[in-house]
Amino acid sequence: MQFDYLFRNVTVIDGSGGPQYRGDVAIKGDRIVEIAPAIDGQVQHEIDGTGRVLAPGFIDVHTHDDINVIRMPEYLPKISQGVTTVIVGNCGISAASATIAGDVPDPMNLLGNAEQFIYPTVNAYADAVTQARPAVNVGTLVGHTALRNNQMDSLFRPANEQEIQAMRGQLRLALQEGALGLSTGLAYASAFQSTTEEVMALAEELAAENGIYTTHLRSEFEPILDALDEAFRIGRHGKVPVVVSHHKCAGANNWGRTVETLALFDNVRQQQDVSCDCYPYSASSSTLDMKQITADFDIVITWSTPHPEMAGQTLKQIAQSWSLTLEEAGKRLMPAGAIYYNMDEQDVQRVLRYPLTMVGSDGLPNDPMPHPRLWGAFPRVLGHYSRDEKLFPLTVAVHKMTGLSAARFQLTDRGLIKRGYFADLVLFDPETISDVASFSDPQQPAAGIDAVMVNGVMSYGQNHNIIGRAGRFLRRSAGKLRSSNNEH
């Protein structure tokens, strides 16, 4: 048989969580066609993988890359760390199915400017992704805040029955056109006034299309158990799986409480399908939120529209230089972005180790000084937490970013190294893989990544350059997923 690519002598970590093994892996077209201890045949490109791990391409389940994968299709921040698929539309904000009239509300402004929201349907968004042909595959959720903004004259109140019905109709269409599910960002002011019943009504649309419900909880601070209970009730009501986004216990008074939250997960998972994702850092990043301003931990300003010169300084330093309180300085900086050092490292490790936790970067690509998770989340799990801290074996680390994620989001024929699956693959050195991106210098590609393949096309190489773009839009169809590129 003739093969396009043959990876020889690799250590295969197949994404299932099972044991690693030595072997050869052959690719023809966009699929893995042969896996064996030794493969013979005619080969166009042979790669000696001695001393290297071959894993499925990493799936970033929590991103805000909606518009960036179209505007910057090479998308170096993700492909350079071995990510081959991104899930966009998280935290209630999506470019797909959003129509903006006037200013872009917070936090939808994390995605881009008003003129960049030109995808009123999932089909329109899918067409744009297909035309851009990004380096990574893209699947989208539909954001609750985006739906609210389409149908309501004010986001700072509950929706009425007529508005809820209009949102349901739009969500139904989005799911029929291939959206993976619904996301909420109930902590944000633009969604905080929505009632549990409003979200429950939307969740009723998900089960028929086999959709998923993901949520940035109403609170990640002291009321977190109530917020988790609300999320699980919404999932039960809609009869759909629940993914808690970037699970954390934020705020100094909340540190250590992942013992309680994960115990609640253990209890609830006996009756319903629940899981979470997290990023491997003890600092968060978002827009500057007056509710989160505190002297309990450092807050670093990453951007400010009225005062761009203040980027990189702590809010405390800025307040002192202006002779203002933290709150007064925060108001003067708005709108702005911030990194909050608001988590305890033991909590981060506890959540990351939890069996139901997937890895998601939650990076903000439009931030001029982004949190290093945008470039470093996946190699940080493999290098720092698995190899150096020995939090879990490498097979478990890979499972959390491949097989587990593909199964959770029903990404058909992806997430595993298996005969017949799509050839989304990453070749890396387990001894040297590491996150190079730092808080002071965040826009740096990872070390230890040798090659990244997407849909059978070699896409990224050792010298940190993009050598191919073969990403596809992953679309839901009849309760399953298909690609818009006529996958069979």
Side-chain angles (χ1 to χ4, degrees):
M1 187 173 179
Q2 190 167 7
F3 306 115
D4 297 330
Y5 286 91
L6 181 61
F7 293 89
R8 280 209 187 279
N9 307 314
V10 288
T11 299
V12 178
I13 296 183
D14 67 6
S16 68
Q20 63 189 47
Y21 59 89
R22 290 291 299 278
D24 293 358
V25 178
I27 314 301
K28 188 171 176 60
D30 60 2
R31 302 274 180 164
I32 299 164
V33 292
E34 192 67 54
I35 306 167
I39 295 174
D40 293 320
Q42 289 183 299
V43 182
Q44 273 193 294
H45 306 281
E46 190 170 306
I47 297 156
D48 182 12
T50 304
R52 300 293 189 263
V53 166
L54 188 69
F58 308 141
I59 298 166
D60 192 342
V61 297
H62 192 102
T63 84
H64 298 288
D65 299 334
D66 304 45
I67 293 170
N68 295 73
V69 290
I70 296 167
R71 284 179 51 233
M72 302 182 294
E74 293 198 330
Y75 217 44
L76 194 60
K78 292 299 166 70
I79 195 80
S80 67
Q81 54 180 310
V83 170
T84 58
T85 298
V86 298
I87 306 296
V88 303
N90 284 281
C91 294
I93 58 178
S94 62
S97 300
T99 308
I100 303 289
D103 293 337
V104 185
D106 183 274
M108 290 185 70
N109 54 6
L110 290 173
L111 301 186
N113 303 320
E115 61 268 19
Q116 293 164 342
F117 284 85
I118 52 173
Y119 316 108
T121 63
V122 169
N123 274 347
Y125 181 74
D127 289 346
V129 170
T130 301
Q131 196 169 346
R133 201 169 178 81
V136 294
N137 301 309
V138 182
T140 188
L141 299 156
V142 168
H144 170 228
T145 301
L147 296 176
R148 298 187 101 233
N149 191 61
N150 293 346
Q151 306 297 342
M152 299 175 67
D153 57 5
S154 169
L155 297 174
F156 306 104
R157 61 171 176 81
N160 62 38
E161 186 58 34
Q162 187 178 351
E163 290 160 343
I164 290 172
Q165 289 306 317
M167 285 191 271
R168 285 185 69 152
Q170 197 167 13
L171 175 60
R172 193 179 314 128
L173 175 65
L175 291 165
Q176 289 165 355
E177 291 184 347
L180 305 179
L182 173 73
S183 77
T184 56
L186 299 177
Y188 291 104
S190 48
F192 191 75
Q193 296 304 323
S194 59
T195 62
T196 305
E197 289 70 28
E198 175 183 325
V199 185
M200 281 179 168
L202 293 176
E204 289 172 10
E205 298 292 337
L206 295 170
E209 291 292 331
N210 212 15
I212 196 166
Y213 175 61
T214 77
T215 179
H216 177 150
L217 296 172
R218 204 175 284 272
S219 177
E220 297 174 324
F221 291 81
E222 281 85 344
I224 190 165
L225 292 178
D226 290 339
L228 282 168
D229 180 66
E230 178 186 41
F232 298 150
R233 280 191 292 131
I234 290 166
R236 274 199 304 278
H237 179 82
K239 301 181 177 64
V240 292
V242 177
V243 177
V244 175
S245 298
H246 42 61
H247 182 40
K248 66 175 81 71
C249 287
N253 294 335
N254 221 21
W255 290 346
R257 292 189 65 206
T258 54
V259 173
E260 297 172 59
T261 64
L262 295 177
L264 180 59
F265 270 93
D266 276 337
N267 187 32
V268 170
R269 68 191 270 206
Q270 308 303 320
Q271 286 83 41
Q272 68 181 110
D273 190 350
V274 297
S275 58
C276 64
D277 65 63
C278 81
Y279 48 84
Y281 299 85
S282 57
S284 68
S285 175
S286 187
T287 49
L288 183 61
D289 177 8
M290 295 304 294
K291 288 190 298 183
Q292 291 194 54
I293 289 178
T294 175
D296 290 347
F297 48 78
D298 279 343
I299 300 170
V300 175
I301 301 303
T302 58
W303 60 270
S304 165
T305 300
H307 295 283
E309 73 280 3
M310 293 300 177
Q313 295 187 54
T314 66
L315 183 60
K316 186 177 179 182
Q317 289 168 331
I318 295 167
Q320 286 173 344
S321 71
W322 286 346
S323 300
L324 298 175
T325 65
L326 293 176
E327 288 75 12
E328 289 166 344
K331 281 179 184 164
R332 187 183 285 190
L333 289 163
M334 301 275 265
I339 289 172
Y340 304 88
Y341 288 84
N342 60 359
M343 284 173 265
D344 176 66
E345 175 62 21
Q346 292 307 307
D347 282 326
V348 174
Q349 293 193 20
R350 209 173 281 124
V351 173
L352 196 53
R353 199 167 49 225
Y354 189 63
L356 299 182
T357 302
M358 300 169 286
V359 179
S361 71
D362 196 18
L364 303 178
N366 296 317
D367 204 318
M369 191 177 170
H371 190 301
R373 65 194 182 187
L374 178 69
W375 289 77
F378 290 80
R380 183 171 172 81
V381 173
L382 298 168
H384 176 67
Y385 282 111
S386 176
R387 181 188 61 231
D388 302 340
E389 294 293 321
K390 297 184 170 39
L391 200 60
F392 33 57
L394 198 56
T395 51
V396 172
V398 169
H399 176 60
K400 286 177 168 292
M401 48 183 75
T402 58
L404 183 65
S405 309
R408 164 59 51 231
F409 284 89
Q410 299 176 77
L411 305 181
T412 304
D413 293 349
R414 297 186 192 274
L416 298 174
I417 294 182
K418 192 172 177 181
R419 194 179 285 109
Y421 272 50
F422 290 103
D424 293 346
L425 299 166
V426 55
L427 187 72
F428 67 90
D429 184 341
E431 298 304 317
T432 64
I433 191 165
S434 63
D435 54 314
V436 180
S438 64
F439 284 97
S440 58
D441 192 0
Q443 301 186 46
Q444 297 193 78
I449 303 267
D450 287 358
V452 184
M453 175 178 276
V454 181
N455 295 311
V457 174
M458 199 58 80
S459 301
Y460 178 78
Q462 267 179 311
N463 55 356
H464 296 171
N465 66 331
I466 307 290
I467 50 180
R469 293 196 342 236
R472 299 173 181 175
F473 184 76
L474 304 185
R475 188 192 294 267
R476 175 176 302 287
S477 175
K480 293 178 70 179
L481 280 164
R482 60 183 170 81
S483 143
S484 60
N485 284 36
N486 302 316
E487 289 173 7
H488 302 292

